[in-house]
Structures are given as structure tokens and as C-alpha cells.
Amino acid sequence: MAEFSDIQTREIGLQKSLTARQLGMIALGGAIGTGLFLGSRFAIGFAGPSVVLSYLIGGMIALMLMAGLAEMTVQHPTSGSFGAYAEHYIGPLAGFLVRYMYWGCIVLAVGTEVTAVGEYMQLWFPGIPPWIWVVVFGGALILVNAMNVKSFGTLEYWFSAIKVFAILAFIVVAGWLVFFAGDEKRGVHNWGAEGGFMPNGLSGMWFAVIVSIFSYLSIEMIAVAAGEAAEPEKAVKKAFKVTAFRLLIFYILTLSLIVSIAPVSEILSGSSPFVTVMQVIGIPFADSVLNFVVIIAALSAMNSQLYISTRMMFSLSRAGEAPRMFGTVGRNGAPLNALLLSTGGIAVATVIYVLNPADAFTIMFAISMFGALFTWFMIFVTHVAFRRRLAAQGMKPTYTVWGARVGAVVGAVLMIAIAISTALTEEFRATLPFGIPCLVTAIGAFFIVQRRRRRAAAGAMTSAESAVDAVKNSDS
């Protein structure tokens, strides 16, 4: 069995200059984006006020995922992260599939975020085709990611800080309106209006969990970014403790206030529930201010996702499972070739927006979902294998989180249940038909790569033997 240090050695070359503070903000920035500001509209449409339970369930799954990832990342900090862990603790095929399916998922998620930006800009510029904004903002963030990682970390920190401040301000204003303003239209009584707390029953509440998983997607990027952290063990521990609970507070508290301020029909009347709520309240220019914030949120999440997909392709190349050119880094330490390849989601989003602007966001949302579910499922399975291997060797993880072992099993089962549930909803009906063929294709690609490797190794061995024979003949 190869040592994990061999995997870490082959991924040398990236700069290690991210601080614990930046690492936490990168994860927070990736997870507070379209899923909260626009995706929550779909979730409310499924679940009504019970969306709070949906996001609570999704949040608990995210916490279980973070617990397992934190243990593995402190043990083995590397940019290959859960792809490298799957390779080491399960097998090369698992590592290959996790890396490629996650890379594809995040690449498409980038397209989802930039598609949302196109929708948000319609509030101010309704006459300009949304796909133009996709191209403009996509190009700008490609340039940002071409900088060195320290510049990226600084920008993402401030992007995320704006989002966090805006959400806190929203919570304060909305909380005052719901509990202290004395307006009879606002209050928790809206949870029982228009069909009750669960207008679509338990199934509607459960289908909204699918959206919540996509909303929490990118929380796992702490583990990937740890490969470029100055003090990865310290940074991961700190980031895990603060990020997971901040997310739960932001999502659960914010959504609770949204469904308290207005009936569901009013919340669903616009694009982003946040902007719609501000319009319902009637605060002057509040909707435009909040629209600016949600644009920043989407750009921030897109920025983080471009970063993470680039690092995953870099890891694939260094593992010999993608062309060598994607494993090279520029003078500033950025893997530029991998970055350019990872912008494919922006191109897909542009094409879909041109062909079907009305459903562009929903389509991008659905097709990116399978990779997210598969990756989270494999992280849980990898953590089970990780704990078993250490136990067999009489070892304990360097860093342990209470409940992580049981959480990995529960999380894996829930991922299977959620994946099956996508087939039962109109909005996510494309998830399995798109994702399963992609998974089968990736499996086929793995065996092709392995066959080429064996042939190359056999050729190198033959050449070496021929050289030895030639030396012997010359001596004789």
C-alpha cells in the first residue's frame, strides 16, 4: 500500500499562503451564494414555511460531512483532498471518480452562479439580454483566479465579508419587523397561512432538502483549500468550528424570518426571496441594495468554485489522470491551464441562456446536482474506510469530532435517498438521466487511462532491459 505522503509529494507546487481566516471565509463564501439567495425560492415553492425544517435537515447532513472531512484533512492536508483520500483509502477508481464527478459538478455550479447573476441584473437592466452579463462577469472572475492565491484569498475574504454583513443586517431588520414593529401582517402566523406549514405535505418538505444540499454545496472546499494554507492543521480546525455553525445560523434564521414577513405567494412572486421581501416591506431602495448584495454573493460563490474546480483538475493531472499540461503552474503559483479548462461551466451556461433563457437557472441547477450528491456520498464512504484503516493499524485520528463515525454512515444513506428523490420531482428530473451516463463514462475513462499506463510502464521496462542488454553486449 502506497504512503499518503506520495500523493502529497506529487501535488507540490501550489503556494501555501492562505490564512485560517481566509480559509474560513472561502468556505463560507462558496456556500452562501445562489443556493440561499435564489435557490431558496425553489425550496419555498416545494415546502412552504416548512422549508426551515428542510434546511435544518440539510444543515445537519452538512455538519456530518464537515466532521468527517475535518478528521481526514487534519490527518492529510493536500489540494487533492477527498479525491486523494478516496484513492488512498478505497482505491484508484474511487479517487478518479470522486475527482472527476466533483470537478464536473463544480464547473457546472459556476455556470449556475453566473446564470443567477444574469437574472439579478434584470432588476436594473431589463432590456439587456442576461447572457451578456454571464460573459462579462465570467471573464472578470477568470482574471481574478489567474492571480496568485494570496490575492484571490484577500478578494474572497472581502466578498464574503460583504455577504455576511448584509445577511446580519437583513436578520436585524427582518427580526425587528416580525417581533417588534407591531405590524399585524408580519409574524409567525404566516407559517400557517395559504395551505399551512406544509402546504405540499411531507414530500414537499423532503424535496426541498434536495435544494438545501445544493445550497450547502462548497462547504467541503475548506478541505481542498487546506492544501494551500500556511498552517493547514490549525486552519482546518478553526474553520470547521466556525463555518458550519455560521452556515446553520444564517440559513435557518434567515429563512425563518423570510417566511414570517410575508405569505408564500408574495415571496414567490419575484426572483430572489430577499429582494422580494424588501419590496413587500417597502423600504426605499432596499431592494436595489439587496440586489447588489445577492450579485456579490453569486460572484463570491462563483469565485470560490472556480478556485476549487481548478485545484481538483490540477490534482487529477498530477495523479496522471488528466493531461500533463493541467498540472503545470505559472510563476505566480496559479495552475492557469487547469483554470481555463474549468471555465467550461460559464460556456455551458451562456449557451443554455441563449437557447432557453426562461429555464436556464433550473436546468443548470438540475444537471450539476448529481455530481454534488455523488461526491458527498463518497466523502461519507471514504471516512468510514479511513476510520476502519486507522483502527486496523491500532491508530486514532490526529483530530477527532464527536459523532463523526456514526454520522458518516447516516450521511451516506441519506445521500442515496436524496438521489432517488430527484427522479420524483419535475425540477430535478434531469439529474439522474444526466448524471448516471456521466458516471459510466468516467468509469470507462478510468480503465482506458489504466490500460495506457500499463502499456507505458511495459514499454519503459522493455527499453530499460534493452539498454541493460546493450551494455552487457558491449562489455563482452
Side-chain angles (χ1 to χ4, degrees), residues 35 179 276 368:
F179 298 108
T276 302
S368 64

Side-chain angles (χ1 to χ4, degrees), residues 57-70:
I57 293 170
M60 297 311 296
I61 296 173
L63 279 177
M64 291 187 290
L65 183 94
M66 286 287 288
L69 263 182

Side-chain angles (χ1 to χ4, degrees), residues 179-466:
F179 298 108
F180 303 107
D183 189 341
E184 294 182 357
K185 294 181 180 179
R186 326 289 176 209
V188 293
H189 62 270
N190 283 318
W191 289 34
E194 300 183 347
F197 183 63
M198 289 186 184
N200 297 313
L202 280 170
S203 61
M205 187 276 290
W206 174 252
F207 290 147
V209 175
I210 303 171
V211 185
S212 79
I213 293 299
F214 185 86
S215 300
Y216 290 117
L217 179 66
S218 295
I219 194 173
E220 72 285 337
M221 67 174 54
I222 287 179
V224 181
E228 291 180 84
E231 299 177 282
E233 293 85 359
K234 178 182 176 182
V236 168
K237 291 177 184 179
K238 183 176 180 180
F240 166 68
K241 290 176 181 177
V242 299
T243 303
F245 292 102
R246 280 179 184 171
L247 280 176
L248 274 177
I249 291 172
F250 286 155
Y251 274 96
I252 304 306
L253 185 54
T254 300
L255 288 172
S256 297
L257 290 170
I258 285 176
V259 295
S260 298
I261 284 178
V264 169
S265 60
E266 289 190 61
I267 295 171
L268 297 178
S269 62
S271 56
S272 169
F274 285 80
V275 177
T276 302
V277 164
M278 288 296 102
Q279 291 172 332
V280 168
I281 293 171
I283 299 175
F285 304 110
D287 55 343
S288 288
V289 172
L290 208 50
N291 196 54
F292 169 77
V293 171
V294 297
I295 288 173
I296 291 294
L299 292 176
S300 170
M302 179 185 166
N303 196 34
S304 293
Q305 289 162 354
L306 265 180
Y307 165 83
I308 228 69
S309 58
T310 298
R311 268 58 187 177
M312 196 56 64
M313 180 50 61
F314 170 85
S315 177
L316 277 163
S317 178
R318 289 297 179 92
E321 294 169 347
R324 193 174 299 174
M325 62 184 292
F326 298 122
T328 60
V329 294
R331 291 181 179 178
N332 63 355
L336 299 177
N337 292 333
L339 169 63
L340 292 176
L341 182 65
S342 298
T343 59
I346 300 172
V348 172
T350 304
V351 172
I352 290 178
Y353 231 136
V354 171
L355 297 178
N356 193 354
D359 299 318
F361 176 78
T362 308
I363 293 171
M364 291 299 300
F365 202 99
I367 63 177
S368 64
M369 196 66 211
F370 183 86
L373 296 175
F374 178 81
T375 301
W376 279 31
F377 170 76
M378 289 301 296
I379 291 173
F380 286 127
V381 172
T382 302
H383 183 257
V384 172
F386 163 77
R387 279 298 199 104
R388 283 182 177 175
R389 176 85 62 85
L390 291 188
Q393 296 172 348
M395 298 170 58
K396 289 185 178 181
T398 304
Y399 175 60
T400 58
V401 180
W402 183 87
R405 201 166 188 175
V406 174
V409 177
V410 174
V413 172
L414 287 174
M415 286 297 102
I416 295 173
I418 291 171
I420 294 172
S421 300
T422 61
L424 306 177
T425 65
E426 184 65 34
E427 289 79 359
F428 291 101
R429 195 154 288 170
T431 298
L432 293 180
F434 175 81
I436 291 175
C438 288
L439 181 62
V440 172
T441 301
I443 293 171
F446 170 79
F447 288 108
I448 292 172
V449 169
Q450 291 296 99
R451 188 190 308 165
R452 289 180 177 175
R453 277 181 167 180
R454 287 194 294 268
R455 286 178 179 175
M461 187 175 295
T462 302
S463 299
E465 290 173 350
S466 298

Side-chain angles (χ1 to χ4, degrees), residues 114-134 136-137 271 291-292 294-296 299 353:
V114 78
T115 300
V117 172
E119 291 205 14
Y120 296 149
M121 293 298 289
Q122 293 299 290
L123 179 69
W124 297 327
F125 305 100
I128 298 178
W131 67 266
I132 291 179
W133 300 114
V134 172
V136 169
F137 286 109
S271 56
N291 196 54
F292 169 77
V294 297
I295 288 173
I296 291 294
L299 292 176
Y353 231 136

